[in-house]
Amino acid sequence: EVQLVQSGAEVKKPGESLKISCKASGYTFTTYWIGWVRQMPGKGLEWMGIIYPEDSDIRYSPSFRGQVTISVDKSITTAYLQWTGLKASDTAIYYCARHRGTGWYYDYWGQGTLVTVSS
Amino acid sequence: QSALTQPASVSGSPGQSITISCTGTSSDVGYYNLVSWYQQQPGKAPKLIIYEVGNRPSGVSNRFSGSKSANTASLTISGLQAEDEADYYCTSYTRNSILIFGGGTKLTVL
């Protein structure tokens, strides 16, 4: 059974750093891209970027390039999303999802990680 | 790259059919057959219901169907049920090699 299990909710202060995780299981991790999607409170879904675990090839949305870092540790089948200087506007739910490369769609999703940035 | 355009809300009565539109441009929806649709229930992660314009994943009801004409994709839900009440999002791959989402449509079952 394919599963993507994300790390728990986080509460951070502006300027702090954060790395959230997405543990994959039930399939060959290195042969599917993993993507990240943001959902701000009460808002829609936004595509952040994708990573290919086999070689860490990364594609960022222009809106998020330079704002976050996507990475992966294939030895533990885990993808990461990282910030070095959080802002209040980073408050959102972040989802990881298995990306079907040729079709550009997401067939399995994590449960989401709520990140709250507040002073 | 702008988001795809969806109606903010649609509604229908049980048993009826509704259609949600998703309008893009000749550089995304109109260029590729790479439109997908997701259903998001309150407090839950999105769920894939249509991929590559009109394909349904295993386990998704055949009441859900997708189509495309020029720069507009459509999701049709037939035989509307109370459990269909949710937010629906379309996505498309673009010639800029990125994925864009629609703004989302809230479906209310009356």
Side-chain angles (χ1 to χ4, degrees):
Chain A
E1 177 194 9
V2 175
Q3 284 194 310
L4 298 171
V5 179
Q6 297 185 231
S7 49
E10 302 273 3
V11 179
K12 292 289 189 180
K13 290 181 166 42
E16 291 186 333
S17 297
L18 175 65
K19 192 174 189 177
I20 63 175
S21 66
C22 171
K23 167 73 174 175
S25 62
Y27 71 97
T28 304
F29 182 66
T30 51
T31 60
Y32 291 85
W33 294 75
I34 290 274
W36 288 94
V37 174
R38 182 175 80 174
Q39 187 167 39
M40 299 176 76
K43 302 298 184 181
L45 304 172
E46 300 173 89
W47 185 72
M48 301 179 72
I50 52 173
I51 185 166
Y52 192 62
E54 176 61 39
D55 59 7
S56 292
D57 185 12
I58 305 172
R59 316 280 174 85
Y60 286 105
S61 162
S63 300
F64 291 93
R65 184 177 292 117
Q67 309 304 309
V68 297
T69 300
I70 295 172
S71 62
V72 67
D73 184 339
K74 60 184 181 181
S75 70
I76 55 171
T77 65
T78 299
Y80 301 97
L81 183 64
Q82 182 175 0
W83 296 260
T84 55
L86 285 161
K87 302 182 282 288
S89 58
D90 293 317
T91 294
I93 297 173
Y94 294 88
Y95 293 101
C96 67
R98 191 176 78 166
H99 177 106
R100 299 304 296 266
T102 54
W104 278 83
Y105 58 90
Y106 294 100
D107 56 357
Y108 290 92
W109 292 68
Q111 82 276 21
T113 295
L114 174 61
V115 174
T116 303
V117 184
S118 174
S119 55
Chain B
Q1 185 98 36
S2 300
L4 303 173
T5 301
Q6 298 181 231
S9 63
V10 298
S11 62
S13 299
Q16 288 186 329
S17 294
I18 63 96
T19 296
I20 299 172
S21 61
C22 170
T23 301
T25 71
S26 57
S27 294
D28 39 67
V29 174
Y31 194 85
Y32 297 102
N33 288 324
L34 295 177
V35 175
S36 57
W37 290 88
Y38 300 86
Q39 176 193 64
Q40 187 178 34
Q41 306 278 6
K44 298 286 186 65
K47 173 188 174 185
L48 177 69
I49 54 173
I50 295 289
Y51 66 96
E52 295 173 347
V53 176
N55 294 310
R56 268 189 317 276
S58 173
V60 172
S61 172
N62 59 8
R63 297 185 299 104
F64 293 90
S65 62
S67 62
K68 190 187 84 166
S69 176
N71 297 338
T72 298
S74 299
L75 172 71
T76 298
I77 308 174
S78 59
L80 210 54
Q81 299 180 0
E83 68 203 47
D84 299 331
E85 189 161 288
D87 293 327
Y88 291 84
Y89 296 90
C90 62
T91 71
S92 178
Y93 183 59
T94 80
R95 294 187 70 186
N96 291 332
S97 303
I98 63 171
L99 191 71
I100 52 173
F101 277 89
T105 299
K106 182 177 180 61
L107 169 62
T108 300
V109 180
L110 302 170

